[in-house]
Amino acid sequence: MKKILIIEDDKEIAELERDYLEISGFACDIAARGTIGLEKAMSEEFDLIIVDIMLPGIDGFEVITELRKKKQTPVIFLSAKNGDIDKIRGLGLGADDYMTKPFSPSELVARVKAHISRHETLTKRECDVIQAGSLVIDKDAHKVTVADKEIALTAKEYDLLLFLAENPNRTFSKEVLFDRIWGMDAIGDVSTVTVHIQRVREKVDMRSEKHIETVWGVGYRFS
């Protein structure tokens, strides 16, 4: 049974989410404060987390910021804040989805199922192979193939693709990617990220499969 953590201070909304999810076969845990929700998220294993933004203690943005330092659990923001700035910020911090209140409970359940399924399909953390459609990354062999054809990548192109593929549906800014991939050995500036993203796309994308998405104004993500 998949386990969902609901971080929501409105008791009626939290119970509504719980009831619909439990009817659909999920086990649910509710935290009414951001601090308690973060503690649960860090100390226990959940298949997905639903979090409000406006919470007592610490807000939803702080919750996901701390969570993403250690875990890649799928996160859906469910908030009354419906401005584009809040959505962009939430996705930029690593949320997988953003829904606004009032919401359709059945749509929420559908999105929960979709994100858990996608996370399980694309993220094979205990395996040495990552596969997304016809793209296969063999970490042991340090080899990338598309439609069974091996693709030649430079060391940084491979590192960039692997990092994004190991964190599916999470959006990273150019600054973060530059720091993670180039790190202390970095020479140049963040514009090199854009160049490398384009090179990787040219090598691994097919007409019917686009793996690296641009989230305008935020960064890039592997989908």
Side-chain angles (χ1 to χ4, degrees):
M1 183 177 290
K2 303 298 182 183
K3 191 175 180 182
I4 310 297
L5 173 61
I6 299 169
I7 308 177
E8 170 63 68
D9 62 323
D10 188 311
K11 183 178 179 181
E12 290 186 3
I13 292 178
E15 292 179 347
L16 176 65
E17 294 174 34
R18 180 200 61 196
D19 291 346
Y20 270 83
L21 287 165
E22 288 184 345
I23 289 172
S24 298
F26 294 98
C28 297
D29 196 353
I30 296 175
R33 297 180 62 85
T35 46
I36 296 174
L38 178 60
E39 182 179 348
K40 285 179 173 290
M42 298 293 273
S43 62
E44 302 177 37
E45 292 302 319
F46 294 94
D47 295 284
L48 185 139
I49 299 170
I50 301 170
V51 59
D52 190 11
I53 291 178
M54 296 179 288
L55 294 165
I58 61 175
D59 66 19
F61 292 138
E62 293 178 87
V63 169
I64 195 170
T65 297
E66 293 302 312
L67 177 69
R68 285 293 180 249
K69 291 179 180 179
K70 293 187 177 181
K71 292 190 175 185
Q72 300 305 320
T73 309
V75 172
I76 297 177
F77 270 123
L78 182 58
S79 174
K81 297 173 72 67
N82 59 6
D84 287 342
I85 292 177
D86 295 305
K87 294 179 182 179
I88 290 172
R89 184 182 179 190
L91 294 171
L93 289 172
D96 299 274
D97 206 344
Y98 193 111
M99 294 181 66
T100 57
K101 301 173 184 177
F103 64 97
S104 163
S106 57
E107 181 184 353
L108 175 63
V109 172
R111 292 197 189 195
V112 167
K113 290 179 178 179
H115 283 295
I116 290 177
S117 176
R118 188 175 296 117
H119 185 73
E120 291 178 341
T121 299
L122 295 180
T123 310
K124 300 175 180 178
R125 300 186 183 282
E126 299 304 319
C127 301
D128 295 318
V129 175
I130 296 175
Q131 181 169 2
S134 62
L135 170 66
V136 178
I137 304 172
D138 187 330
K139 293 190 283 186
D140 270 351
H142 206 274
K143 182 174 70 174
V144 175
T145 59
V146 175
D148 297 323
K149 179 181 178 181
E150 186 170 353
I151 305 300
L153 297 173
T154 67
K156 291 303 182 187
E157 288 169 356
Y158 176 87
D159 291 343
L160 181 59
L161 175 62
L162 179 61
F163 177 78
L164 290 170
E166 287 183 327
N167 296 277
N169 301 306
R170 181 180 174 188
T171 303
F172 295 92
S173 68
K174 288 187 288 187
E175 289 78 12
V176 169
L177 290 172
F178 187 71
D179 181 67
R180 296 287 185 90
I181 305 303
W182 281 264
M184 297 298 294
D185 298 325
I187 298 177
D189 56 37
V190 296
S191 63
T192 193
V193 174
T194 303
V195 174
H196 279 73
I197 288 286
Q198 182 59 35
R199 289 176 180 170
V200 172
R201 282 173 168 163
E202 291 173 354
K203 294 179 179 182
V204 305
D205 279 358
M206 301 173 65
R207 181 173 299 179
S208 59
E209 291 182 11
K210 307 296 183 184
H211 298 289
I212 301 177
E213 297 180 347
T214 299
V215 181
W216 297 107
V218 183
Y220 303 97
R221 69 183 174 205
F222 187 90
S223 177

